[in-house]
Amino acid sequence: IIKHATIMHLTPEVINDTIALKQQMRVKTPDGIIASTSRIHKMTLITGNEKHFQKIPGVSILNPWTNTP
């Protein structure tokens, strides 16, 4: 998976969305950045820690340890 990963830079749009998430949902900053990046770029978030992200609207989650494509 890592070989095919894309580095996403922190943009003003992601920063603003992260701030909104923190204010509305009280997520921690690292999780907010990850969720916002996924939402803004309309990308699936691949994580083994679904509980941190499943309540955030607009985040599509794939857990490679439990889900099958």
Side-chain angles (χ1 to χ4, degrees):
I1 291 175
I2 299 298
K3 280 198 303 188
H4 303 286
T6 300
I7 295 172
M8 305 301 297
H9 297 283
L10 194 57
T11 64
E13 192 175 17
V14 171
I15 292 168
N16 291 335
D17 193 62
T18 300
I19 292 167
L21 278 178
K22 287 183 62 58
Q23 291 172 340
Q24 296 165 7
M25 305 191 75
R26 299 179 136 321
V27 298
K28 295 183 179 183
T29 300
D31 289 343
I33 293 170
I34 293 165
S36 292
T37 301
S38 172
R39 287 166 31 134
I40 297 298
H41 296 287
K42 298 186 182 354
M43 300 176 85
T44 299
L45 174 57
I46 300 173
T47 182
N49 194 353
E50 294 176 73
K51 72 178 187 168
H52 281 209
F53 303 99
Q54 60 192 180
K55 292 184 180 180
I56 301 173
V59 176
S60 174
I61 300 170
L62 172 65
N63 183 336
W65 291 273
T66 60
N67 300 344
T68 56

